[in-house]
Amino acid sequence: MSKNRIFLLFTLLLFLCGCSMSAQGDSASAGPPSLSSRLADSTVQTSPGGLDEQEAAILKTYERLSKENLSYDAYFSQERYWETDGWGQALFVYHDEEAAFYKKELDGALSLLYAHDMPIDRAYWDNRYLFYFLSDHCIYRIFVPDCQVEKVYENPRMSGFFPLSNYAILFTVPNPENEGKDEEHDRIEPPDYFIYHTKEDEEWPLIPEEIGLDSIGGSAIRSAREIYEIPSP
């Protein structure tokens, strides 16, 4: 393993250990019935050579902390920002060619968490509780602890999206001013931005300048807190 990789894993381990000290104490309970179409209980793939000591330590920390996961009802009892926390990409593997998410096991094997039945256009999976993905102009979210999979929004004009909270999603549609333009020679206007709130079933336009931003920058370089403010209870 390279020095950079060891350093990153060591840093993540320290972060995860800190998380385990401050994790909420809600007891885990079974969420609503899973809507996922294809799940596997058995190991389906093994990494050559298994895990090294740093990777094994990270996974053991996760296994310990995962026992303190909030239930589906508890997690969605309030609106929470969706923010990268280092878990997803360290503990799960996304295979684009299979449209599937795999979980790493302590022996280095990969077990199937969820496989979608259509190609996935974009996936965000670096969060302990929620993965989001876009497929066939539909946005889905996965509640990771019990693999509860839900289709939360559909729009045939949608060209991209970015999660903001467990309820709010930023999405884009092509700017009509770009119709008929040559992308190589003409000035291309940025897309139109909208926010959709799954709990309220409402959507509204977002104009970056009105919230003090020159642009969203493809949305991925902005944090959810810069773009969206969770309403007060």
Side-chain angles (χ1 to χ4, degrees):
M1 173 178 286
S2 67
K3 292 182 177 180
N4 287 339
R5 188 179 176 198
I6 293 175
F7 174 77
L8 290 173
L9 288 170
F10 181 70
T11 302
L12 180 58
L13 175 61
L14 292 177
F15 169 77
L16 298 182
C17 290
C19 286
S20 66
M21 296 294 292
S22 58
Q24 299 184 50
D26 299 61
S27 59
S29 62
S34 174
L35 302 180
S36 56
S37 59
R38 293 156 58 197
L39 295 174
D41 296 326
S42 60
T43 297
V44 297
Q45 184 174 345
T46 303
S47 301
L51 303 177
D52 60 30
E53 292 182 2
Q54 289 87 355
E55 291 173 320
I58 290 172
L59 286 178
K60 287 180 180 178
T61 301
Y62 174 75
E63 292 294 330
R64 183 169 62 251
L65 182 57
S66 66
K67 297 176 182 178
E68 303 173 2
N69 275 330
L70 297 177
S71 67
Y72 180 98
D73 290 339
Y75 185 73
F76 285 98
S77 65
Q78 67 184 70
E79 189 165 5
R80 308 168 190 271
Y81 282 110
W82 190 96
E83 295 176 311
T84 59
D85 58 19
W87 287 97
Q89 294 187 16
L91 301 163
F92 294 85
V93 175
Y94 170 59
H95 286 178
D96 182 67
E97 68 280 1
E98 300 176 27
F101 298 89
Y102 288 89
K103 180 182 177 182
K104 296 178 183 178
E105 303 295 345
L106 287 173
D107 61 0
L110 301 179
S111 60
L112 183 64
L113 175 73
Y114 173 76
H116 198 54
D117 55 6
M118 295 186 68
I120 290 177
D121 302 312
R122 183 172 301 178
Y124 295 98
W125 48 282
D126 196 10
N127 181 280
R128 175 182 173 187
Y129 281 98
L130 287 184
F131 295 169
Y132 279 92
F133 65 89
L134 174 66
S135 177
D136 193 29
H137 303 289
C138 297
I139 297 174
Y140 297 79
R141 69 185 176 200
I142 304 175
F143 182 67
V144 178
D146 63 5
C147 198
Q148 168 83 7
V149 182
E150 301 168 286
K151 182 171 75 173
V152 295
Y153 184 65
E154 180 176 4
N155 187 332
R157 298 183 62 238
M158 179 170 48
S159 57
F161 85 104
F162 182 70
L164 300 175
S165 76
N166 51 347
Y167 286 119
I169 303 160
L170 174 74
F171 70 91
T172 60
V173 298
N175 192 316
E177 295 184 15
N178 293 328
E179 293 184 10
K181 288 186 176 181
D182 182 348
E183 293 186 4
E184 293 186 4
H185 303 96
D186 298 330
R187 173 184 172 85
I188 302 299
E189 300 297 327
D192 291 330
Y193 297 97
F194 296 86
I195 292 177
Y196 175 70
H197 198 279
T198 61
K199 186 176 182 180
E200 303 298 332
D201 191 22
E202 295 180 355
E203 67 179 65
W204 59 90
L206 174 71
I207 300 175
E209 292 78 7
E210 291 184 354
I211 58 173
L213 299 176
D214 294 333
S215 69
I216 301 299
S219 76
I221 65 171
R222 299 286 186 182
S223 74
R225 294 173 184 269
E226 290 179 282
I227 299 170
Y228 174 70
E229 182 177 354
I230 291 178
S232 300

